């Protein structure tokens, strides 16, 4: 169960609160000012694979999918790349026994986060690494990142703060570029994100694709602009999973508990973030597992 919580931790960080625990991109800085922002005005140069006809704003909620919208069910959208593995496989998601077997494998297996290799000459590289809709292409995610490769103990599930401080999380904030490490991390811009994880155990490899819808008044803002010092402030935020308040270290166990097999509804949960108990929701992420294959 511990590594399944790690999986959900990586999922939540990768797709929602603080982006992705990828490789140490600041070591790859070649002076090119690549950026992730919400001011793209039709000048996409690499990642837009749909039918943008104007300004991709970083907060797309369906415009790149040919009219599809997030529905919370198992229907795959155009932007999900339904014909690219592990999609369209959903049998595991609809069967309770299969879900249980997957959890057993994840609890003892090796987890890998699939990432886009860093390319400092690509102006959209951080959007691609974040999995932002319009820039995400599952065939580009050839790098396999483990917790140990980013300096974390794979036997102990890290928390949100750990991945911000050690895992290059936060790179999906508005305007993030090669000069932003240490100062520009924050909440990802509003929009739809997709990422993938693999889990291998006793000769079987599970390949999972996730989708998340991100929104809120703090979406895209840096932590510093929100008055949040990552080393101490992230643990002080108030988290709710499906409406139930959950402490900083318990968010991912709550995500696990919220996910269940269904013949129609994608396993997932809604995570809300507040600055104080009873305060206004500043950030929301609706997380869904949409495809799983095994080999």
């Amino acid at each position: 169960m511990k590594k399944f919580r790690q999986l959900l931790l990586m999922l939540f960080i990768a797709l929602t609160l603080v982006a992705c625990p990828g490789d140490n991109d600041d070591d790859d800085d070649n002076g090119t000012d690549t950026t992730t922002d919400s001011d793209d005005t039709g000048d996409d140069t690499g990642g837009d694979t749909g039918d943008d006809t104007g300004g991709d704003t970083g907060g797309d909620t369906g415009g790149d999918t040919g009219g599809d919208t997030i529905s919370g069910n198992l229907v795959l959208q155009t932007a999900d790349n339904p014909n690219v593995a592990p999609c369209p496989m959903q049998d595991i998601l609809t069967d309770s026994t299969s879900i249980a077997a997957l959890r057993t494998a994840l609890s003892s297996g090796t987890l890998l986060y699939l990432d886009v290799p860093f390319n400092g000459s690509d102006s959209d590289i951080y959007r691609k690494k974040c999995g932002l809709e319009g820039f995400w292409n599952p065939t580009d995610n050839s790098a396999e990142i483990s917790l140990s490769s980013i300096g974390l103990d794979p036997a102990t599930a890290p928390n949100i703060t750990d991945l911000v401080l050690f895992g290059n999380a936060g790179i999906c904030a508005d305007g993030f570029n090669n000069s932003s490490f240490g100062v520009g991390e924050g909440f990802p811009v509003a929009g739809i994100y997709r990422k993938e994880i693999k889990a291998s155990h006793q000769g079987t490899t599970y390949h999972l694709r996730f989708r998340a819808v991100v929104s809120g008044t703090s979406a895209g803002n840096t932590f510093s602009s929100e008055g949040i010092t990552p080393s101490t402030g992230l643990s002080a935020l108030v988290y709710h999973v499906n409406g139930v308040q959950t402490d900083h270290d318990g968010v991912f166990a709550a995500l696990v508990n919220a996910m269940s097999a269904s013949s129609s509804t994608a396993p997932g949960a809604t995570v809300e973030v507040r600055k104080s108990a009873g305060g206004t929701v500043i950030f929301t992420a609706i997380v869904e597992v949409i495809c799983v294959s095994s080999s």
Side-chain angles (χ1 to χ4, degrees):
M1 191 62 170
K2 179 181 291 183
K3 287 197 175 182
F4 190 47
R5 291 179 183 178
Q6 290 178 20
L7 171 71
L8 269 298
L9 171 66
M10 296 173 79
L11 153 69
F12 184 61
I13 298 300
L15 298 180
T16 60
L17 180 58
V18 280
C20 43
D23 54 353
N24 193 10
D25 299 327
D26 49 338
D27 291 340
D28 298 301
D29 183 3
N30 65 357
T32 304
D33 188 23
T34 56
T35 183
T36 298
D37 58 44
S38 58
D39 295 318
D40 190 356
T41 57
D43 192 27
D44 297 345
T45 60
D48 236 350
T49 59
D51 41 7
D52 271 3
T53 57
D56 198 330
T57 65
D60 292 348
T61 56
D64 288 329
T65 67
D68 294 330
T69 58
I70 295 293
S71 62
N73 61 34
L74 285 171
V75 175
L76 295 174
Q77 308 166 43
T78 303
D80 291 327
N81 276 267
N83 296 319
V84 178
C87 290
M89 301 301 295
Q90 297 179 319
D91 293 351
I92 292 173
L93 302 178
T94 64
D95 182 80
S96 296
T97 301
S98 297
I99 284 282
L102 173 62
R103 289 181 175 176
T104 297
L106 290 168
S107 67
S108 302
T110 300
L111 305 180
L112 294 172
Y113 170 91
L114 304 188
D115 196 14
V116 179
F118 185 75
N119 178 1
S121 65
D122 186 346
S123 62
D124 293 320
I125 188 59
Y126 292 113
R127 295 173 181 173
K128 293 177 181 179
K129 291 176 77 68
C130 292
L132 181 63
E133 184 164 296
F135 301 91
W136 177 77
N137 182 347
T139 62
D140 291 338
N141 288 269
S142 60
E144 298 182 341
I145 309 299
S146 65
L147 287 174
S148 59
S149 71
I150 59 173
L152 295 174
D153 182 358
T156 303
N159 55 38
I160 294 169
T161 301
D162 288 334
L163 285 182
V164 172
L165 297 180
F166 301 107
N168 278 356
I171 65 172
C172 301
D174 194 11
F176 190 92
N177 58 44
N178 291 346
S179 301
S180 297
F181 287 97
V183 295
E185 288 88 348
F187 298 95
V189 298
I192 302 172
Y193 295 77
R194 293 169 180 83
K195 293 299 293 185
E196 297 182 6
I197 291 173
K198 288 184 178 180
S200 299
H201 178 61
Q202 294 185 346
T204 298
T205 296
Y206 292 90
H207 186 176
L208 302 91
R209 182 171 298 167
F210 304 97
R211 179 174 63 202
V213 184
V214 168
S215 62
T217 56
S218 294
N221 293 351
T222 62
F223 295 135
S224 60
S225 71
E226 292 286 332
I228 298 170
T229 301
S231 59
T232 57
L234 292 173
S235 61
L237 295 175
V238 178
Y239 302 91
H240 285 74
V241 178
N242 283 355
V244 178
Q245 184 169 331
T246 309
D247 65 37
H248 172 259
D249 293 340
V251 169
F252 311 106
L255 274 169
V256 170
N257 292 334
M259 300 176 71
S260 60
S262 169
S263 61
S264 60
T265 303
T270 298
V271 181
E272 295 176 331
V273 181
R274 296 171 171 82
K275 288 188 175 180
S276 60
T280 302
V281 176
I282 63 171
F283 186 85
T284 299
I286 302 172
V287 183
E288 299 175 332
V289 184
I290 57 173
C291 297
V292 180
S293 67
S294 62
S295 60

